[in-house]
Each structure stands twice: as structure tokens, then as C-alpha cells.
Amino acid sequence: MSVSSAPSRDSEEFATEVRGMFDRIAGVYDLMNSAMTAGLHHEWRQRAVDRAEVGPGSDALDICCGTGDLALELRRRIGPDGRVVGSDFSEPMLELARRKSGEEGLPVEFGWADALDLPYGDASFDAVTIGFGARNLADLPKGLSEMARVMRPGGRLVILEITRPQREPLASFYSLWFDRLVPVIGSFAGDSDAYSYLPNSVRAFPEPERLAGMIDSAGFSEIRWLLLAGGIIAIHSATKAT
């Protein structure tokens, strides 16, 4: 079964399919991100970390960390003190993240974790981030509940994700680029199924206002979102209620 026609999200098969997809594309993941975003994904991650409001001595968790870019940016802001943890369910992605961490001299605790059942204690972190991973969660409300659980009261949640622009002409350009051209680029990278899954997962993800409502239901307040790149990228931020 291809990921582009993935099974129901409430099935174990969905998680298995998505995990296998990320395992397969780990080696081309960074290159494809840069190709699809013209390199802007680095700036978007920096903007996301701005909203996490971390500093020296903070403890931060990056969920669905992939190859580690967002977690490494958190470490840059936090400095040598504090704790930065990056978790993912793809070991090949984590291997690349660990390699980057060593090469850049930015120590991060990278480890395997299921975002729906995090292996961390209650109130362990000052900030929790997730970049381009929320739309891959089989149960988004459960994932948000887990993020709230491991966060200290007053802590910051940041979700960086692709969204669908509503205004023309960008809406038409987005449809052309993500729905048609990205799968073609993916075929050159050797995995057309994975990059057909990308636009499908974005279509299934809640629009910014509805996502804000879900964040509110998970126990967060002061919910804000920022649209970038003409509405293609959304950064949601919120504070855990005290």
C-alpha cells in the first residue's frame, strides 16, 4: 500500500506506513526541503524558535525533530546550559540529527519517541516545539494533550506547519506547486509516494483557526498564529495555562 493512499489515521497501519516513508526519505530529506522552499525553511524555523521564547537555562523539547534543524536552533538560543531534547519515530532521521549535532558542536539529546505517548515526565519542559510534523500525527488532539502534559505551567508551545493559502493568485500557485510539481520532484528523488503524501497530508490538516481551537481545547491560552510566505506557512504559539 502506498503512503499516498494511506490507511485510516486511527489505525496502527497508518503510523507504520508513515514511519516507513520517513525512514526511506531520510537521506534526501534536507535536500528536498531546500528545493521545495528555496531554502526558506531555515528562516521559518528561526521564526518559530523566536516564539518559543527560550533563553539560557531553558529546557526544550522538539517533537518529530526529523534531521534536527529546529532542535539545533533551540540549542543555539539556550546555550550550554539547560536541556534540549529532540524526539522522532524514525531512526534514520535521528542518525542524521545526531551527526549534525556532533558536526556543529551543539549537544542535543536525540532519541526515539512516539509523539502520542511521550517518554518524559509531567511538567518537564519550558517549551515544546514541532516543525512540519503535526500533520503526520495519527491523533492530533492526543498529541496536543501529550505536549501539554510534559510542559511546565506557563511554558510555550510552538507549531510550525504548512497550510493552504486562501487568496489568489497564491492559492493557484500553491495548488500547482504542491499538488502537481512536488510529487514530480519526489519521483526524481526516488520516492514519488512520499511526496504525493505531502500535499495530501496538508489538505487533511486543520486550517489555522481550527487548529487554534484544538490548541485551546488542549489547555493552552494566549494562542496566536503568524502566516508567512503569503499564507503557505503558519506558526502557532500558545502558553500552557497555569
Side-chain angles (χ1 to χ4, degrees):
M1 180 181 297
S2 70
V3 175
S4 59
S5 57
S8 170
R9 283 180 176 262
D10 61 2
S11 69
E12 179 63 28
E13 189 180 358
F14 174 83
T16 300
E17 290 281 345
V18 173
R19 183 184 302 117
M21 177 193 72
F22 280 108
D23 287 351
R24 293 195 312 271
I25 68 172
V28 298
Y29 183 78
D30 287 342
L31 179 62
M32 287 294 292
N33 276 353
S34 292
M36 290 187 298
T37 69
L40 291 173
H41 63 103
H42 296 296
E43 178 184 340
W44 298 335
R45 286 185 173 90
Q46 291 169 3
R47 297 287 293 273
V49 174
D50 287 345
R51 297 205 158 207
E53 299 180 2
V54 295
S58 296
D59 295 329
L61 169 65
D62 183 39
I63 299 170
C64 302
C65 67
T67 61
D69 287 340
L70 188 50
L72 293 172
E73 185 61 31
L74 286 164
R75 174 53 78 188
R76 291 185 187 97
R77 305 292 181 90
I78 289 173
D81 299 322
R83 181 188 186 200
V84 179
V85 177
S87 70
D88 203 279
F89 68 174
S90 169
E91 279 294 348
M93 290 282 192
L94 288 167
E95 289 173 10
L96 292 170
R98 294 184 188 108
R99 187 183 308 168
K100 282 185 187 177
S101 177
E103 291 173 350
E104 299 187 28
L106 295 168
V108 172
E109 301 171 33
F110 287 110
W112 191 96
D114 180 348
L116 304 184
D117 187 19
L118 294 171
Y120 313 113
D122 296 355
S124 296
F125 298 97
D126 301 303
V128 175
T129 62
I130 179 168
F132 305 118
R135 60 190 157 75
N136 299 315
L137 299 183
D139 187 335
L140 182 54
K142 185 175 180 180
L144 291 170
S145 177
E146 273 293 273
M147 296 176 211
R149 179 185 66 79
V150 301
M151 193 181 304
R152 293 169 185 147
R156 297 284 291 170
L157 170 70
V158 178
I159 300 174
L160 167 64
E161 194 51 90
I162 304 168
T163 189
R164 296 183 69 85
Q166 302 301 312
R167 295 183 179 180
E168 297 292 355
L170 198 59
S172 294
F173 170 78
Y174 174 95
S175 180
L176 173 65
W177 179 247
F178 272 88
D179 295 344
R180 299 185 183 183
L181 295 183
V182 165
V184 173
I185 295 172
S187 67
F188 287 108
D191 203 317
S192 59
D193 278 349
Y195 289 95
S196 294
Y197 167 79
L198 172 59
N200 290 339
S201 67
V202 174
R203 277 194 295 271
F205 195 68
E207 68 278 4
E209 187 171 358
R210 189 156 67 93
L211 177 58
M214 297 172 73
I215 294 170
D216 177 74
S217 296
F220 293 92
S221 62
E222 301 175 11
I223 302 161
R224 304 286 186 274
W225 66 89
L226 171 68
L227 297 179
L228 300 174
I232 291 175
I233 297 297
I235 302 176
H236 283 71
S237 59
T239 300
K240 181 178 177 181
T242 57

